[in-house]
């Protein structure tokens, strides 16, 4: 069993991943980050504060609607809570109950209830003001001493407290031990089904309120929410959306979305496309009339800094002013690093007391003596006792993917649906793509181009003669590789074999990878963690941006060659296979798409391994389909699938690979083009040329 000492040390990793990133991750070269920031600024350039209550109410309703859409929607009918009490600890003046309840069918939330004991045992339970505590990125989740402290302080001040484990954290990880992280490529398994972790957390916290309202000790009209770090984000989103919360206290989590562009954050904090429709100030404004206090630390990371928080708090203040509620909003600044320490807790006690008890002026209230428990004592499922079939993040993602497959998407225009999922089909003006004349270096022709304003790339071409007239090229192979530079790809064995077989070979650079990779981009198993998340914030998944780079490269090559060659083969090696298929689906100039040992399905019952976070497109399984469905959009042009891997990284052998693409095969056969679709299991580079 993992010791608490090991879990404690894991806390440093958790906070480092999600919170204490350097103030700005500087890209080298910096074109991608500068581009992302400019996109974010452009999206929110016309934001203005509401001038009256009616204007705000109209904006409020629209914002709530778009938020739910970004989160993938909530169930039409809540499932049965079916709560169960699994144990109890008796303490001086309160008890701690170990509880599980169902938030979605088969999805069980682990929780601890801190219940004030009535002084007179003969009296019926008193209805207490109540606080939902959400934990943030402390490795022990609800069991962590930092999280326990606020729960104990609150219950000793007369509050009923419910503290819950977020999906994938605490007792709800993939394994049964504490200390697991629910971000990076674990949280990424939720993106293709269109239910990002941030939205699942909001809905689960709303179900926690449903549970609280069943308790006889809870006053249903006096419920608040608080948390720090990722828990502060949960507090902001759930507090904004669920108006049953009468007091909302996000701590060490409020800044601006713009500040996220250039920093690291957890998958649980990302709302896909959020910058297309709002900034944090309006989110805070949704709770501005219900006792909102934002707590900031002076030594926090840039995205949660006092200065950034002030920007969003100013907008929330404008909203509170037009609602006549300016006395119910407060910004508390604590001299501290990122935490939820005693001064922060004492400020929260005072604010909750004012808004949930109706006493005091909201000033800090001293903390009583606190003695935390050994984390193992608080677990609903101690040690290895959690059921083996417990629903984890990847298991939920697989179950939802299977449900979606039973009712496959049938858009009127599948190609447009794909383009929309990727952030919009690129509008290519070939006359503005090239940046000056190309040049030869030895046998390699290089052309610099601007894929879009701020993104300067090169495409490398070999196998064409130096002539004053456009060369007559009949076969062009475009090789894509996200794991090495264009120069390395052009010098590799695959390019050499293609050249020997008479192909002109082009290798386009793509943004945020290779020579343009972002420094410090890798977190955990996600090689492109930060850049992929920045792309999600602006509503343009990296897969769509890479496809644009490929399209632009083809346009630049067409200019140089005078026309597109009769055969244009685009090969995606390993992680670039999806780029090749998607580019071919949206660009008729590509006559043949080929993947080599690439991802065969988005559906995985384990976290993605050896894949790119940038390939994960929110809702693609819901709106377009799986990898095989993307491939069908290429028919009846040629496709060759050479080898394939599952999401967890395992190779797919023999007939299993053919089965992954049986729907693609059916479409080709229906078009009398069965000979144009080939699957080569366990293939190697030699099979590419053959």
């Amino acid at each position: 069993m993992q010791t608490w000492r090991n879990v404690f040390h894991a806390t440093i990793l958790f906070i480092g991943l999600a919170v204490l990133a350097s103030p700005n991750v500087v890209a080298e070269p910096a074109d991608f980050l500068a581009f992302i920031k400019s996109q974010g600024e452009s999206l929110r350039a016309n934001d203005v504060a509401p001038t009256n209550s009616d204007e705000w109410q109209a904006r409020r309703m629209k914002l709530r609607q778009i938020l739910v859409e970004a989160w993938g929607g909530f169930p039409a009918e809540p499932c049965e809570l079916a709560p169960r009490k699994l144990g109890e600890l008796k303490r001086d003046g309160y008890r701690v109950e170990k509880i599980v309840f169902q938030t979605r069918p088969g999805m069980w939330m682990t929780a601890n209830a801190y219940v004030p004991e009535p002084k007179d045992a003969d009296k019926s339970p008193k209805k207490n003001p109540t606080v939902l505590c959400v934990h943030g990125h402390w490795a022990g989740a609800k069991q962590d001493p930092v999280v326990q402290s606020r729960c104990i302080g609150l219950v000793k001040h007369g509050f009923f407290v419910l503290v819950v484990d977020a999906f994938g954290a605490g007792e709800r990880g993939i394994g049964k031990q504490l200390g697991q992280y629910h971000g990076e490529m674990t949280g990424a398994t939720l993106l293709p089904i269109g239910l990002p972790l941030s939205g699942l957390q909001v809905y689960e916290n709303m179900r926690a309120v449903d549970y609280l309202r069943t308790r006889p000790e809870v006053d249903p009209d006096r419920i608040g929410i608080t948390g720090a770090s990722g828990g502060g984000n949960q507090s902001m989103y759930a507090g904004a959306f669920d108006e049953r919360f009468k007091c909302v206290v996000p701590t060490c989590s409020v800044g601006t979305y713009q500040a996220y562009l250039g920093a690291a954050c957890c998958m649980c904090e990302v709302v896909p496309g959020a910058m297309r429709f709002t900034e944090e100030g309006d989110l805070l404004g949704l709770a501005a009339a219900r006792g909102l206090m934002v707590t900031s630390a002076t030594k926090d990371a840039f995205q949660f800094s006092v200065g950034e928080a002030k920007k969003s708090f100013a907008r929330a203040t404008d909203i509170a002013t037009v609602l006549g509620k300016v006395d119910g909003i407060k910004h508390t600044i604590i001299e501290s690093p990122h935490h939820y320490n005693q001064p922060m807790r004492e400020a929260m006690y005072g604010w909750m007391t004012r808004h949930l008890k109706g006493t005091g002026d909201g000033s800090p209230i001293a903390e009583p003596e606190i003695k935390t428990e050994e984390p193992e004592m608080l677990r609903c499922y101690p040690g290895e006792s959690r059921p083996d079939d417990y629903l984890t993040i990847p298991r939920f993602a697989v179950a939802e993917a299977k449900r979606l497959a039973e009712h496959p998407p049938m858009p009127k225009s599948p190609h447009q649906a794909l383009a929309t999922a990727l952030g919009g089909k690129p509008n290519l003006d070939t006359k503005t793509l090239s940046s000056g004349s190309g040049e030869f270096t030895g046998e390699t022709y290089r052309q610099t181009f601007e894929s879009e304003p701020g993104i300067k790339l090169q495409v490398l071409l070999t196998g064409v003669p130096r002539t004053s007239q456009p060369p007559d090229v009949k076969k062009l192979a475009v090789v894509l590789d996200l794991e090495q530079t264009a120069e390395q790809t052009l010098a590799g064995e695959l390019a050499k074999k293609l050249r020997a077989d008479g192909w002109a070979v082009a290798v386009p650079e793509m943004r945020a990878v290779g020579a343009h990779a972002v420094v410090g981009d890798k977190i955990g198993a996600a090689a492109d963690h930060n850049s992929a998340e920045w792309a999600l914030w602006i509503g343009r998944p990296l897969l769509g941006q890479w496809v644009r780079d490929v399209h632009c490269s083809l346009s630049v090559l067409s200019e140089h060659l005078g026309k597109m060659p009769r055969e244009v083969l685009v090969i995606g090696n390993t992680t670039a296979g999806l780029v090749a298929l998607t580019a071919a689906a949206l660009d008729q100039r590509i006559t043949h798409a080929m993947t080599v040992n690439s991802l065969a399905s988005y559906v995985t019952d384990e976290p993605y391994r050896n894949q790119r976070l940038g390939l994960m497109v929110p809702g693609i399984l819901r709106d377009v389909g799986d990898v095989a469905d993307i491939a069908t959009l290429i028919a009846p042009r040629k496709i060759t699938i050479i080898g394939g891997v599952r999401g967890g990284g395992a190779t797919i052998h023999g007939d299993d690979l053919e089965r992954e693409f049986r729907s693609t095969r059916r479409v080709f056969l229906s078009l009398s083009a069965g000979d144009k679709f080939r699957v080569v299991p366990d293939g190697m580079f030699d099979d590419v040329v053959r």
Side-chain angles (χ1 to χ4, degrees), residues 79-147:
C79 68
E80 183 185 3
L81 287 166
R84 288 181 288 138
K85 181 177 170 181
L86 303 181
E88 181 177 285
L89 304 174
K90 292 283 190 179
R91 296 296 179 259
D92 184 20
Y94 66 97
R95 68 183 186 273
V96 184
E97 298 179 1
K98 305 174 184 182
I99 299 161
V100 294
F101 54 88
Q102 192 174 223
T103 57
R104 289 173 178 257
M107 185 185 291
W108 294 90
M109 193 173 218
T110 48
N112 294 136
Y114 290 72
V115 187
E117 294 285 17
K119 291 188 168 71
D120 186 344
D122 294 332
K123 291 183 178 180
S124 57
K126 175 186 176 183
K127 288 193 175 295
N128 299 281
T130 299
V131 178
L132 175 63
C133 284
V134 285
H135 55 73
H137 295 103
W138 279 269
K142 69 177 175 62
Q143 290 82 199
D144 197 283
V146 173
V147 180

Side-chain angles (χ1 to χ4, degrees), residues 195-445:
L195 293 172
L197 191 51
S198 57
L200 287 172
Q201 288 182 343
V202 168
Y203 184 72
E204 285 210 300
N205 290 330
M206 292 168 64
R207 296 310 320 273
V209 176
D210 293 341
Y211 168 73
L212 284 170
R213 290 166 68 91
T214 70
R215 294 288 302 237
E217 308 94 335
V218 169
D219 185 336
D221 297 321
R222 294 188 293 161
I223 299 176
I225 185 170
T226 190
S229 182
N233 274 268
Q234 289 188 56
S235 300
M236 178 179 72
Y237 287 118
F241 195 82
D242 192 334
E243 295 176 349
R244 295 175 296 180
F245 288 115
K246 304 305 180 186
C247 189
V248 181
V249 184
T251 298
C252 288
S253 61
V254 171
T256 61
Y257 289 148
Q258 187 69 30
Y260 271 126
L261 306 181
C265 67
C266 178
M267 288 296 297
C268 74
E269 297 170 299
V270 178
V271 180
M275 294 197 72
R276 289 193 167 193
F277 58 86
T278 196
E279 248 291 356
E280 280 195 42
D282 276 6
L283 259 296
L284 292 176
L286 292 176
R290 292 180 281 112
L292 172 69
M293 182 174 79
V294 172
T295 302
S296 300
T298 57
K299 301 174 185 177
D300 213 332
F302 176 70
Q303 66 268 35
F304 303 144
S305 63
V306 172
E308 293 303 299
K310 282 183 175 180
K311 296 175 184 177
S312 293
F313 187 78
R315 171 57 60 82
T317 301
D318 290 337
I319 294 165
T321 299
V322 301
L323 296 175
K325 299 286 187 179
V326 74
D327 63 332
I329 184 170
K330 183 178 182 180
H331 189 190
T332 296
I333 300 170
I334 304 288
E335 186 71 22
S336 168
H338 186 87
H339 213 283
Y340 207 143
N341 55 25
Q342 184 172 340
M344 295 171 179
R345 297 194 296 267
E346 291 178 340
M348 179 266 292
Y349 301 148
W351 195 250
M352 291 287 187
T353 296
R354 176 189 168 189
H355 289 276
L356 300 182
K357 291 186 177 182
T359 61
D361 62 359
S363 298
I365 294 177
E367 185 169 83
E369 181 181 355
I370 288 176
K371 182 180 179 182
T372 59
E373 309 285 345
E374 285 295 319
E376 191 70 16
M377 294 286 292
L378 295 171
R379 296 184 65 174
C380 299
Y381 300 111
E384 299 292 312
S385 63
R386 193 184 75 180
D388 291 338
D389 61 352
Y390 192 82
L391 192 62
T392 62
I393 285 178
R395 285 175 175 174
F396 171 75
V398 167
E400 184 65 16
K402 289 180 178 177
R403 188 189 68 80
L404 291 171
E406 292 173 358
H407 305 281
M410 299 185 67
K412 292 181 180 179
S413 173
H415 293 85
Q416 184 58 51
L418 176 59
T420 300
L422 297 176
K425 189 173 182 179
N427 179 20
L428 305 181
D429 181 358
T430 58
K431 294 180 181 178
T432 63
L433 291 173
S434 299
S435 299
S437 58
E439 60 181 11
F440 274 90
T441 303
E443 295 183 354
T444 302
Y445 174 79

